[in-house]
Amino acid sequence: ASVAVLVFGLPAAALAALGGAPIFLGNGAKVPQILKNMSQKHTGTMSVVPAFLGFAGCSVRVLTSILQMPDDLLAIMNPLTAALMWFVLLVQFLMFYEATKKVQEEAEAKK
């Protein structure tokens, strides 16, 4: 099957589906964390640094994708959705800052 794909290629629909898979796989990993933060009303031990760096990096990828491939929506959507997920996490850090601080202080007091 691999040889057939290499020789004949893939149909356009299959190629588009494979191109869209990283959008769901990579960004789907952030959804449980976002939902957990919303349900517990704090961010726990998560660090803001990786969220900020992830957002910054994906934002740069969005810009370079737009500049290099303005007509390729799929190439733009992957870093764009990743940047949006990182942005949601950053907003959660701001929304739940006080509650997270309180939870961390309580955890320290138990030690």
XYZ file of all heavy atoms in Angstrom:
823
model
N 0.825 -1.189 0.000
C 0.000 0.000 0.000
C 0.874 1.259 0.000
O 0.549 2.227 -0.664
C -0.926 0.010 1.196
N 1.984 1.208 0.733
C 2.873 2.365 0.790
C 3.473 2.659 -0.575
O 3.601 3.817 -0.962
C 3.997 2.129 1.792
O 3.484 1.955 3.075
N 3.824 1.604 -1.303
C 4.401 1.782 -2.631
C 3.373 2.412 -3.565
O 3.700 3.317 -4.338
C 4.907 0.423 -3.188
C 5.383 0.568 -4.619
C 6.005 -0.123 -2.304
N 2.131 1.963 -3.478
C 1.072 2.518 -4.326
C 0.871 4.004 -4.044
O 0.702 4.798 -4.973
C -0.231 1.751 -4.108
N 0.909 4.375 -2.785
C 0.753 5.787 -2.427
C 1.922 6.599 -2.963
O 1.744 7.696 -3.498
C 0.620 5.960 -0.895
C 0.716 7.423 -0.500
C -0.689 5.359 -0.415
N 3.137 6.048 -2.844
C 4.312 6.758 -3.352
C 4.291 6.889 -4.872
O 4.676 7.918 -5.416
C 5.590 6.041 -2.911
C 5.909 6.125 -1.417
C 7.102 5.247 -1.077
C 6.188 7.561 -1.016
N 3.825 5.867 -5.551
C 3.812 5.880 -7.010
C 2.650 6.707 -7.556
O 2.828 7.547 -8.437
C 3.760 4.431 -7.571
C 3.554 4.433 -9.080
C 5.029 3.680 -7.210
N 1.452 6.473 -7.029
C 0.263 7.105 -7.597
C -0.222 8.333 -6.829
O -1.059 9.079 -7.314
C -0.883 6.076 -7.682
C -0.546 4.889 -8.530
C -0.362 3.647 -7.955
C -0.393 5.025 -9.900
C -0.048 2.549 -8.738
C -0.074 3.940 -10.697
C 0.106 2.687 -10.115
N 0.261 8.528 -5.629
C -0.184 9.661 -4.831
C -1.510 9.376 -4.148
O -2.026 8.266 -4.191
N -2.037 10.381 -3.515
C -3.317 10.258 -2.814
C -4.363 11.119 -3.496
O -4.035 12.170 -4.058
C -3.177 10.731 -1.364
C -2.437 9.833 -0.398
C -2.261 10.535 0.936
C -3.185 8.527 -0.192
N -5.624 10.722 -3.423
C -6.689 11.611 -3.924
C -6.704 12.907 -3.113
O -6.277 12.949 -1.958
C -7.964 10.803 -3.681
C -7.544 9.405 -3.405
C -6.131 9.459 -2.931
N -7.189 13.955 -3.719
C -7.183 15.273 -3.077
C -7.920 15.274 -1.738
O -7.475 15.904 -0.777
C -7.794 16.306 -4.013
N -9.029 14.556 -1.657
C -9.809 14.522 -0.414
C -9.012 13.851 0.708
O -9.010 14.328 1.847
C -11.126 13.798 -0.625
N -8.330 12.760 0.394
C -7.527 12.065 1.401
C -6.344 12.925 1.831
O -5.979 12.963 3.005
C -7.043 10.724 0.860
N -5.741 13.620 0.878
C -4.609 14.491 1.199
C -5.050 15.639 2.104
O -4.359 15.982 3.070
C -4.003 15.027 -0.096
C -2.647 15.684 0.005
C -1.624 14.739 0.615
C -2.182 16.145 -1.367
N -6.206 16.216 1.836
C -6.737 17.296 2.676
C -7.051 16.780 4.079
O -6.791 17.461 5.079
C -7.978 17.904 2.044
N -7.603 15.568 4.164
C -7.920 14.987 5.477
C -6.646 14.760 6.280
O -6.599 15.032 7.484
C -8.688 13.689 5.311
N -5.606 14.268 5.631
C -4.329 14.070 6.328
C -3.721 15.403 6.744
O -3.105 15.508 7.799
C -3.347 13.305 5.439
C -3.594 11.819 5.300
C -2.615 11.202 4.309
C -3.485 11.122 6.643
N -3.898 16.416 5.928
C -3.376 17.739 6.266
C -4.102 18.367 7.440
O -3.527 19.151 8.200
N -5.366 18.007 7.613
C -6.144 18.560 8.721
C -5.993 17.790 10.018
O -6.339 18.290 11.090
N -5.461 16.584 9.945
C -5.325 15.756 11.152
C -4.503 16.415 12.258
O -4.898 16.351 13.426
C -4.744 14.392 10.783
N -3.368 17.059 11.940
C -2.599 17.688 13.029
C -3.362 18.781 13.772
O -3.111 19.032 14.948
C -1.374 18.287 12.320
C -1.248 17.528 11.058
C -2.642 17.130 10.673
N -4.304 19.416 13.092
C -5.100 20.451 13.755
C -5.868 19.839 14.915
O -5.879 20.365 16.026
C -6.060 21.133 12.757
C -5.263 21.896 11.707
C -7.026 22.059 13.482
C -6.095 22.454 10.573
N -6.493 18.689 14.674
C -7.300 18.041 15.712
C -6.432 17.322 16.741
O -6.716 17.369 17.932
C -8.301 17.081 15.082
C -9.299 17.783 14.214
C -9.199 17.722 12.833
C -10.310 18.533 14.774
C -10.105 18.390 12.037
C -11.219 19.206 13.982
C -11.119 19.134 12.603
N -5.379 16.673 16.279
C -4.531 15.917 17.201
C -3.727 16.836 18.119
O -3.693 16.653 19.329
C -3.593 14.990 16.423
C -4.267 13.879 15.642
C -3.249 13.122 14.801
C -4.988 12.936 16.573
N -3.067 17.820 17.557
C -2.227 18.714 18.354
C -3.011 19.623 19.269
O -2.641 19.852 20.421
N -4.099 20.149 18.761
C -4.880 21.090 19.563
C -5.868 20.386 20.467
O -6.258 20.916 21.494
C -5.592 22.078 18.644
C -4.599 22.894 17.866
O -3.611 23.360 18.410
N -4.824 23.038 16.589
N -6.246 19.191 20.089
C -7.149 18.415 20.929
C -6.523 18.079 22.273
O -7.225 17.871 23.265
N -5.215 18.061 22.317
C -4.520 17.773 23.570
C -4.678 18.907 24.579
O -4.571 18.682 25.789
C -3.042 17.527 23.290
N -4.932 20.110 24.115
C -5.092 21.252 25.023
C -6.515 21.361 25.574
O -6.733 21.961 26.616
C -4.705 22.537 24.305
C -3.240 22.624 23.967
C -2.949 23.891 23.180
C -1.584 23.865 22.562
N -1.473 22.985 21.408
N -7.474 20.797 24.872
C -8.883 20.921 25.266
C -9.145 20.354 26.662
O -9.798 21.025 27.476
C -9.814 20.292 24.203
C -11.248 20.224 24.692
C -9.719 21.073 22.904
N -8.650 19.142 27.003
C -8.907 18.645 28.366
C -8.357 19.569 29.452
O -8.997 19.750 30.493
C -8.215 17.282 28.393
C -8.133 16.868 26.977
C -7.977 18.134 26.189
N -7.185 20.161 29.209
C -6.612 21.076 30.205
C -7.477 22.319 30.351
O -7.724 22.789 31.460
C -5.183 21.466 29.814
C -4.514 22.354 30.841
C -4.309 21.653 32.166
O -3.705 20.594 32.205
N -4.810 22.223 33.242
N -7.946 22.855 29.239
C -8.814 24.035 29.278
C -10.101 23.723 30.037
O -10.531 24.505 30.897
C -9.113 24.526 27.842
C -7.832 25.106 27.215
C -10.236 25.537 27.824
C -7.936 25.367 25.730
N -10.698 22.568 29.751
C -11.937 22.188 30.436
C -11.696 21.936 31.923
O -12.527 22.314 32.760
C -12.535 20.947 29.773
C -13.019 21.133 28.335
C -13.479 19.817 27.752
C -14.106 22.191 28.264
N -10.582 21.316 32.258
C -10.261 21.068 33.668
C -10.085 22.379 34.421
O -10.585 22.543 35.532
C -8.995 20.220 33.786
C -8.643 19.867 35.205
C -7.428 18.967 35.258
C -7.105 18.612 36.703
N -5.912 17.766 36.790
N -9.363 23.318 33.810
C -9.179 24.630 34.439
C -10.526 25.315 34.674
O -10.743 25.922 35.725
C -8.291 25.525 33.586
C -6.858 25.050 33.511
O -6.421 24.182 34.271
N -6.109 25.603 32.579
N -11.417 25.209 33.702
C -12.727 25.851 33.839
C -13.549 25.195 34.954
O -14.217 25.891 35.711
C -13.509 25.782 32.522
C -12.937 26.654 31.418
S -12.831 28.407 31.824
C -14.547 28.854 31.776
N -13.472 23.881 35.057
C -14.292 23.211 36.067
C -13.756 23.412 37.481
O -14.530 23.558 38.417
C -14.407 21.719 35.755
O -13.174 21.075 35.947
N -12.432 23.454 37.634
C -11.883 23.624 38.982
C -11.640 25.093 39.340
O -11.296 25.403 40.475
C -10.607 22.794 39.155
C -9.450 23.205 38.291
C -8.280 22.248 38.402
O -8.395 21.163 38.962
N -7.130 22.654 37.881
N -11.811 25.972 38.384
C -11.694 27.426 38.598
C -10.305 27.860 39.065
O -10.147 28.868 39.749
C -12.750 27.933 39.589
C -14.166 27.613 39.208
C -14.584 28.358 37.981
C -16.064 28.096 37.707
N -16.385 28.084 36.318
N -9.285 27.105 38.691
C -7.892 27.515 38.886
C -7.033 26.720 37.924
O -7.477 25.753 37.324
C -7.430 27.338 40.345
C -7.419 25.925 40.830
N -6.376 25.062 40.580
C -8.317 25.227 41.558
C -6.626 23.901 41.144
N -7.819 23.968 41.732
N -5.768 27.153 37.762
C -4.882 26.496 36.790
C -3.938 25.511 37.449
O -3.083 24.941 36.770
C -4.072 27.532 35.994
O -3.336 28.343 36.897
C -4.987 28.391 35.137
N -4.062 25.316 38.736
C -3.232 24.324 39.426
C -1.750 24.662 39.372
O -1.359 25.801 39.577
N -0.954 23.663 39.045
C 0.499 23.862 39.026
C 1.019 24.218 37.638
O 2.232 24.254 37.431
C 1.218 22.587 39.514
O 0.853 21.501 38.665
C 0.860 22.274 40.953
N 0.115 24.461 36.706
C 0.549 24.844 35.358
C 1.365 26.129 35.415
O 1.059 27.043 36.168
C -0.668 25.100 34.470
C -1.060 23.949 33.607
S -2.480 24.357 32.569
C -1.846 25.679 31.586
N 2.394 26.178 34.585
C 3.229 27.374 34.512
C 2.766 28.250 33.350
O 2.401 27.746 32.282
C 4.688 26.971 34.307
O 5.481 28.115 34.086
N 2.826 29.547 33.551
C 2.421 30.484 32.506
C 3.487 30.576 31.408
O 3.170 30.908 30.266
C 2.105 31.872 33.111
C 3.364 32.573 33.568
C 1.344 32.731 32.126
N 4.732 30.241 31.722
C 5.826 30.389 30.753
C 5.603 29.529 29.501
O 5.677 30.055 28.380
C 7.194 30.115 31.414
C 8.311 30.114 30.382
C 7.465 31.138 32.500
N 5.348 28.221 29.618
C 5.107 27.445 28.395
C 3.892 27.933 27.608
O 3.899 27.901 26.372
C 4.872 26.021 28.896
C 5.462 25.971 30.247
C 5.358 27.353 30.799
N 2.860 28.385 28.295
C 1.679 28.893 27.601
C 2.026 30.161 26.819
O 1.616 30.321 25.662
C 0.558 29.173 28.588
N 2.801 31.036 27.440
C 3.198 32.273 26.747
C 4.097 31.960 25.556
O 3.896 32.500 24.460
C 3.907 33.231 27.711
C 4.447 34.442 27.017
C 3.594 35.451 26.611
C 5.796 34.553 26.732
C 4.075 36.569 25.942
C 6.292 35.660 26.060
C 5.427 36.670 25.666
N 5.078 31.086 25.760
C 5.994 30.746 24.664
C 5.265 30.004 23.545
O 5.550 30.218 22.361
C 7.161 29.919 25.189
C 8.115 30.656 26.131
C 9.173 29.702 26.673
C 8.762 31.839 25.432
N 4.327 29.123 23.908
C 3.537 28.428 22.897
C 2.710 29.401 22.076
O 2.639 29.307 20.850
N 2.080 30.363 22.758
C 1.286 31.372 22.059
C 2.168 32.223 21.146
O 1.827 32.467 19.985
C 0.543 32.263 23.053
C -0.182 33.402 22.409
C -1.319 33.176 21.635
C 0.262 34.699 22.554
C -1.993 34.215 21.022
C -0.402 35.752 21.949
C -1.533 35.511 21.179
N 3.307 32.657 21.666
C 4.212 33.499 20.864
C 4.720 32.740 19.642
O 4.727 33.270 18.522
C 5.380 33.978 21.724
N 5.137 31.503 19.848
C 5.658 30.711 18.738
C 4.605 30.443 17.673
O 4.879 30.555 16.471
N 3.412 30.088 18.100
C 2.338 29.817 17.136
C 1.904 31.083 16.416
O 1.550 31.043 15.232
C 1.155 29.156 17.829
S 1.502 27.466 18.323
N 1.950 32.205 17.115
C 1.594 33.475 16.479
C 2.582 33.817 15.372
O 2.191 34.285 14.299
C 1.559 34.601 17.513
O 0.563 34.344 18.466
N 3.847 33.565 15.605
C 4.858 33.791 14.568
C 4.634 32.831 13.400
O 4.756 33.224 12.238
C 6.286 33.641 15.153
C 7.325 33.628 14.056
C 6.563 34.758 16.143
N 4.277 31.590 13.709
C 3.987 30.625 12.645
C 2.788 31.062 11.813
O 2.755 30.861 10.597
C 3.744 29.231 13.226
C 5.022 28.543 13.639
C 4.787 27.142 14.166
N 3.999 26.323 13.257
C 3.142 25.397 13.651
N 2.932 25.168 14.933
N 2.484 24.687 12.764
N 1.785 31.648 12.456
C 0.622 32.154 11.718
C 1.077 33.239 10.748
O 0.724 33.214 9.557
C -0.463 32.718 12.670
C -1.530 33.472 11.894
C -1.081 31.608 13.487
N 1.866 34.167 11.238
C 2.342 35.269 10.401
C 3.169 34.759 9.227
O 2.938 35.163 8.077
C 3.161 36.259 11.242
C 3.732 37.455 10.494
C 2.610 38.307 9.924
C 4.620 38.271 11.404
N 4.115 33.860 9.488
C 4.946 33.359 8.386
C 4.127 32.525 7.408
O 4.371 32.583 6.203
C 6.144 32.534 8.913
O 5.666 31.466 9.727
C 7.105 33.398 9.700
N 3.137 31.776 7.902
C 2.279 30.998 6.995
C 1.470 31.920 6.095
O 1.323 31.656 4.895
C 1.330 30.098 7.789
O 2.046 29.135 8.510
N 0.947 33.002 6.657
C 0.174 33.953 5.854
C 1.062 34.617 4.812
O 0.667 34.782 3.653
C -0.500 35.009 6.757
C -1.629 34.359 7.556
C -1.026 36.180 5.935
C -2.221 35.245 8.629
N 2.279 34.965 5.203
C 3.180 35.644 4.268
C 3.703 34.709 3.185
O 3.871 35.118 2.035
C 4.349 36.277 5.026
C 3.986 37.441 5.947
C 5.198 37.894 6.744
C 3.398 38.594 5.145
N 3.977 33.454 3.548
C 4.555 32.532 2.577
C 3.514 31.805 1.739
O 3.763 31.477 0.585
C 5.442 31.508 3.281
C 6.695 32.109 3.869
C 7.558 31.078 4.588
O 7.125 29.962 4.857
N 8.772 31.475 4.911
N 2.359 31.500 2.324
C 1.330 30.724 1.622
C -0.047 31.330 1.849
O -0.902 30.713 2.485
C 1.350 29.279 2.124
C 2.666 28.583 1.959
S 2.712 27.004 2.814
C 3.003 27.506 4.506
N -0.292 32.532 1.363
C -1.566 33.200 1.672
C -2.800 32.466 1.155
O -3.894 32.663 1.674
C -1.418 34.571 1.014
C -0.357 34.409 -0.008
C 0.551 33.319 0.487
N -2.639 31.618 0.150
C -3.793 30.916 -0.418
C -4.019 29.539 0.188
O -5.005 28.884 -0.133
C -3.610 30.766 -1.930
C -3.549 32.112 -2.626
O -4.187 33.062 -2.128
O -2.858 32.218 -3.660
N -3.115 29.080 1.047
C -3.222 27.738 1.632
C -3.859 27.838 3.016
O -3.178 28.001 4.027
C -1.842 27.090 1.711
C -1.897 25.625 2.074
O -2.996 25.137 2.434
O -0.849 24.968 2.002
N -5.181 27.721 3.046
C -5.931 27.875 4.293
C -5.539 26.818 5.326
O -5.443 27.116 6.509
C -7.432 27.815 4.011
C -8.352 28.039 5.201
C -8.129 29.431 5.780
C -9.790 27.856 4.800
N -5.285 25.606 4.874
C -4.927 24.521 5.783
C -3.602 24.806 6.491
O -3.459 24.555 7.688
C -4.853 23.200 5.020
C -4.907 21.926 5.829
C -6.147 21.888 6.708
C -4.879 20.717 4.913
N -2.654 25.369 5.757
C -1.351 25.696 6.346
C -1.469 26.827 7.364
O -0.657 26.918 8.283
C -0.357 26.081 5.254
N -2.463 27.658 7.221
C -2.674 28.773 8.150
C -3.502 28.321 9.354
O -3.273 28.762 10.485
C -3.345 29.959 7.423
C -2.410 30.496 6.338
C -3.724 31.060 8.401
C -3.071 31.458 5.379
N -4.448 27.420 9.137
C -5.365 27.006 10.209
C -4.669 26.251 11.344
O -5.046 26.415 12.508
C -6.485 26.135 9.639
C -7.509 26.897 8.848
S -8.265 28.245 9.757
C -9.106 27.370 11.045
N -3.671 25.443 11.032
C -3.011 24.671 12.081
C -2.357 25.576 13.124
O -2.687 25.486 14.311
C -2.009 23.686 11.478
C -1.481 22.714 12.504
O -1.927 22.655 13.630
N -0.498 21.937 12.100
N -1.456 26.488 12.742
C -0.886 27.357 13.782
C -1.894 28.348 14.358
O -1.776 28.742 15.519
C 0.268 28.076 13.071
C -0.040 27.974 11.629
C -0.821 26.709 11.443
N -2.899 28.715 13.568
C -3.904 29.650 14.074
C -4.728 29.020 15.193
O -4.945 29.638 16.240
C -4.812 30.117 12.936
C -5.909 31.099 13.326
C -5.310 32.398 13.853
C -6.810 31.384 12.133
N -5.178 27.790 14.988
C -5.953 27.133 16.043
C -5.074 26.849 17.266
O -5.543 26.963 18.397
C -6.614 25.830 15.550
O -5.618 24.985 14.978
C -7.682 26.111 14.525
N -3.804 26.511 17.035
C -2.896 26.297 18.166
C -2.698 27.596 18.949
O -2.717 27.594 20.185
C -1.555 25.755 17.679
N -2.524 28.703 18.240
C -2.362 30.002 18.911
C -3.619 30.346 19.707
O -3.523 30.872 20.832
C -2.060 31.095 17.885
N -4.783 30.051 19.161
C -6.030 30.330 19.880
C -6.138 29.496 21.157
O -6.586 29.997 22.194
C -7.236 30.084 18.978
C -7.438 31.098 17.856
C -8.562 30.651 16.923
C -7.721 32.475 18.408
N -5.732 28.235 21.082
C -5.766 27.377 22.284
C -4.804 27.906 23.347
O -5.143 27.953 24.535
C -5.414 25.936 21.933
C -6.425 25.247 21.083
S -7.933 24.959 22.024
C -8.939 24.227 20.778
N -3.603 28.269 22.923
C -2.642 28.837 23.878
C -3.175 30.145 24.456
O -2.994 30.431 25.652
C -1.286 29.084 23.218
C -0.475 27.860 22.991
C -0.042 27.379 21.791
C 0.037 26.951 23.982
N 0.684 26.234 21.990
C 0.753 25.945 23.318
C -0.058 26.888 25.369
C 1.380 24.899 23.977
C 0.566 25.841 26.027
C 1.274 24.870 25.343
N -3.854 30.935 23.634
C -4.426 32.198 24.112
C -5.487 31.940 25.180
O -5.548 32.647 26.189
C -5.010 32.994 22.938
C -5.598 34.307 23.351
C -4.776 35.371 23.684
C -6.971 34.483 23.420
C -5.313 36.587 24.080
C -7.518 35.689 23.819
C -6.684 36.747 24.142
N -6.321 30.933 24.960
C -7.343 30.587 25.959
C -6.670 30.218 27.284
O -7.112 30.642 28.358
C -8.250 29.441 25.453
C -9.125 28.899 26.565
C -9.097 29.918 24.289
N -5.589 29.442 27.217
C -4.867 29.091 28.445
C -4.294 30.337 29.122
O -4.338 30.460 30.352
C -3.766 28.075 28.148
C -4.260 26.656 27.869
C -3.136 25.789 27.338
C -4.858 26.036 29.118
N -3.764 31.259 28.337
C -3.236 32.503 28.918
C -4.351 33.314 29.582
O -4.158 33.866 30.674
C -2.557 33.348 27.839
C -1.181 32.892 27.401
C -0.689 33.733 26.215
C -0.185 32.967 28.545
N -5.501 33.380 28.957
C -6.647 34.088 29.548
C -7.055 33.419 30.855
O -7.389 34.096 31.835
C -7.820 34.165 28.548
C -9.096 34.631 29.223
C -7.457 35.077 27.389
N -6.994 32.091 30.890
C -7.333 31.377 32.120
C -6.353 31.724 33.246
O -6.746 31.812 34.405
C -7.370 29.871 31.879
C -8.579 29.433 31.108
C -8.643 27.936 30.937
O -7.630 27.238 30.941
N -9.854 27.422 30.774
N -5.093 31.890 32.917
C -4.124 32.300 33.943
C -4.535 33.639 34.546
O -4.427 33.841 35.755
C -2.707 32.409 33.364
C -1.984 31.109 33.285
C -1.799 30.476 32.076
C -1.479 30.497 34.428
C -1.136 29.269 31.995
C -0.819 29.292 34.368
C -0.641 28.678 33.147
N -4.991 34.554 33.699
C -5.422 35.860 34.203
C -6.733 35.746 34.986
O -6.878 36.338 36.060
C -5.590 36.840 33.041
C -4.316 37.198 32.284
C -4.648 38.045 31.058
C -3.329 37.917 33.187
N -7.682 34.998 34.449
C -8.994 34.854 35.095
C -8.885 34.206 36.474
O -9.574 34.602 37.407
C -9.924 33.986 34.231
C -10.494 34.668 33.034
S -11.447 33.555 31.941
C -12.389 32.558 33.054
N -8.036 33.187 36.573
C -7.980 32.373 37.781
C -6.731 32.648 38.621
O -6.367 31.832 39.471
C -8.040 30.879 37.421
C -9.261 30.485 36.655
C -9.170 29.679 35.546
C -10.524 30.913 37.046
C -10.291 29.294 34.838
C -11.654 30.547 36.348
C -11.540 29.738 35.235
N -6.093 33.800 38.418
C -4.839 34.088 39.111
C -4.994 34.014 40.633
O -4.238 33.324 41.314
C -4.299 35.458 38.691
C -3.039 35.830 39.432
C -1.833 35.267 39.091
C -3.076 36.733 40.497
C -0.667 35.582 39.774
C -1.930 37.051 41.194
C -0.720 36.480 40.825
O 0.417 36.793 41.514
N -5.977 34.704 41.161
C -6.169 34.742 42.619
C -6.528 33.364 43.175
O -6.002 32.946 44.213
C -7.245 35.772 42.998
C -6.824 37.208 42.756
C -5.607 37.626 43.577
O -5.474 37.176 44.730
O -4.792 38.413 43.054
N -7.416 32.664 42.505
C -7.822 31.332 42.972
C -6.651 30.355 42.922
O -6.461 29.546 43.838
C -8.974 30.806 42.128
N -5.841 30.440 41.873
C -4.666 29.564 41.746
C -3.667 29.858 42.849
O -3.105 28.938 43.455
C -4.010 29.742 40.365
O -4.961 29.404 39.353
C -2.789 28.863 40.220
N -3.467 31.147 43.131
C -2.542 31.538 44.194
C -3.002 30.976 45.536
O -2.208 30.437 46.311
C -2.458 33.074 44.239
C -1.265 33.609 44.989
C -1.079 35.076 44.637
C -1.411 35.915 45.832
N -1.175 37.342 45.628
N -4.298 31.048 45.780
C -4.856 30.535 47.035
C -4.678 29.021 47.133
O -4.280 28.496 48.185
C -6.336 30.896 47.124
C -7.003 30.474 48.403
C -8.456 30.898 48.418
C -9.132 30.386 49.681
N -10.564 30.648 49.690
N -4.937 28.301 46.055
C -4.779 26.839 46.038
C -3.323 26.458 46.283
O -3.029 25.525 47.044
C -5.285 26.253 44.697
C -4.851 24.808 44.512
C -6.792 26.375 44.607
N -2.400 27.184 45.664
C -0.982 26.893 45.851
C -0.533 27.192 47.286
O 0.262 26.453 47.856
C -0.137 27.668 44.839
C -0.300 27.139 43.430
C 0.405 27.986 42.388
O 0.757 29.136 42.621
N 0.581 27.411 41.205
N -1.052 28.262 47.870
C -0.723 28.573 49.274
C -1.247 27.504 50.217
O -0.576 27.122 51.174
C -1.281 29.953 49.653
C -0.540 31.107 49.007
C -1.234 32.440 49.196
O -2.361 32.479 49.784
O -0.676 33.460 48.743
N -2.450 27.023 49.943
C -3.022 25.948 50.771
C -2.207 24.670 50.642
O -1.998 23.959 51.616
C -4.477 25.696 50.359
C -5.429 26.811 50.752
C -6.818 26.629 50.170
O -7.049 25.645 49.434
O -7.672 27.486 50.441
N -1.722 24.384 49.458
C -0.905 23.194 49.234
C 0.432 23.314 49.982
O 0.935 22.341 50.549
C -0.665 22.972 47.756
N 0.987 24.508 49.985
C 2.248 24.752 50.696
C 2.049 24.622 52.207
O 2.906 24.135 52.929
C 2.810 26.135 50.362
C 3.479 26.212 48.999
C 4.735 25.362 48.917
O 5.540 25.355 49.876
O 4.897 24.689 47.882
N 0.910 25.091 52.688
C 0.632 25.042 54.138
C 0.473 23.604 54.614
O 0.771 23.299 55.788
C -0.638 25.847 54.440
N 0.024 22.703 53.744
C -0.149 21.310 54.121
C 1.168 20.557 54.219
O 1.228 19.500 54.816
C -1.071 20.609 53.122
C -2.505 21.039 53.211
C -3.351 20.293 52.203
C -4.805 20.771 52.264
N -5.632 20.089 51.279
N 2.214 21.094 53.616
C 3.507 20.410 53.613
C 4.180 20.442 54.957
O 4.102 21.183 55.792
C 4.459 21.020 52.574
C 4.061 20.633 51.163
C 5.083 21.162 50.202
C 4.724 20.780 48.790
N 5.661 21.301 47.836
